[in-house]
Amino acid sequence: LQLGTQYRSRLAKLDVQLFANRFDGYINLMPVLPPQLTIVGAFPVFDYRQSDIVLGGMNGQVEIPFLKRFSYTLQGSWLYAAESGSRKPVYGIPSNRITNRLKFTSKPGKRKWVYFAELEGTQVFHQDRVPTNADYVAPPPGYFLLNGAVGISRKTDSGEAIQLMLSVTNLGNVSYRDYMNRFRYFTDEPGRNWALKLLVPFSIHSKNEQK
């Protein structure tokens, strides 16, 4: 079951979706306790298990333009999962999160190049709905990540965009562990990461070949 609404105007863009699902025989990869002991140490072991669950939640996004060249976007997702009947939490469900994004876009220049810059902050909350004594370690605490990007783009005749962008993730070099990553048993997520990207749509090459 899914229910959604959209709103568009000069002042804001809003998109909200509510959903509810029932799964008969939901297949999950669960930890097997205790860990497997070998001559080189202890290793986590996982086994496929089946159960009937209900899964519901909400996804939402609102975008507000202001000062002609700026826009603010708020995104959020909330999930609830439980076994049918017993209502016990389900293992391996993503944490709830909220993302705030501020973006600047310039006017197109003489050669139709557009400059843009954006700053994004994501708050990932602690996942406290987990089965009791069903994992090797407790879920990690929540964390906040700051990401950013600057670049230029130009639309082609086909409507696609060529982009050159310099982006950075985890700008604050925060030490954190993600509940959905099984490497969290051993190490933190990567720290600050810079990337230079050139995006060229394939349609440019295909149209040139046709000509």
Side-chain angles (χ1 to χ4, degrees):
L1 178 65
Q2 181 170 325
L3 177 66
T5 182
Q6 292 182 341
Y7 171 79
R8 299 287 186 272
S9 73
R10 294 184 298 106
L11 300 177
K13 298 178 181 178
L14 176 67
D15 190 349
V16 178
Q17 293 183 351
L18 302 173
F19 57 90
N21 301 284
R22 177 185 173 86
F23 295 94
D24 295 331
Y26 176 80
I27 301 175
N28 204 353
L29 193 59
M30 299 281 295
V32 178
L33 302 178
Q36 181 69 44
L37 294 176
T38 69
I39 59 174
V40 294
F43 291 88
V45 178
F46 296 85
D47 189 19
Y48 287 102
R49 300 179 188 175
Q50 241 178 337
S51 59
D52 298 338
I53 74 166
V54 290
L55 174 67
M58 177 183 69
N59 294 320
Q61 174 177 310
V62 58
E63 181 180 347
I64 304 174
F66 64 98
L67 298 178
K68 293 184 178 180
R69 297 299 166 187
F70 289 87
S71 65
Y72 168 74
T73 303
L74 174 64
Q75 292 177 307
S77 63
W78 175 81
L79 282 174
Y80 172 86
E83 294 185 3
S84 302
S86 65
R87 297 299 177 184
K88 292 181 180 179
V90 179
Y91 171 81
I93 299 300
S95 304
N96 301 326
R97 62 191 62 210
I98 292 178
T99 299
N100 294 271
R101 184 182 303 110
L102 182 65
K103 185 173 183 178
F104 166 79
T105 306
S106 71
K107 289 184 178 180
K110 293 182 179 180
R111 297 186 178 181
K112 298 182 181 179
W113 286 101
V114 173
Y115 300 88
F116 64 89
E118 66 178 35
L119 188 64
E120 176 185 280
T122 300
Q123 175 64 55
V124 179
F125 297 97
H126 172 68
Q127 178 56 281
D128 53 3
R129 284 192 51 80
V130 294
T132 305
N133 299 323
D135 203 351
Y136 296 109
V137 296
Y143 56 88
F144 177 81
L145 295 182
L146 195 61
N147 308 317
V150 293
I152 58 175
S153 67
R154 182 180 184 276
K155 283 192 176 182
T156 64
D157 296 336
S158 62
E160 301 287 345
I162 302 174
Q163 285 190 1
L164 178 63
M165 179 171 58
L166 175 66
S167 64
V168 57
T169 56
N170 193 4
L171 184 61
N173 203 29
V174 176
S175 297
Y176 72 100
R177 301 192 180 193
D178 194 305
Y179 175 66
M180 299 302 295
N181 189 350
R182 290 195 175 95
F183 282 110
R184 67 184 172 88
Y185 296 135
F186 313 103
T187 185
D188 292 343
E189 295 288 331
R192 186 184 299 113
N193 184 44
W194 296 86
L196 182 63
K197 303 177 183 178
L198 175 62
L199 306 178
V200 180
F202 287 103
S203 59
I204 294 179
H205 301 288
S206 61
K207 288 202 169 187
N208 288 337
E209 290 175 359
Q210 292 176 1
K211 291 179 181 179

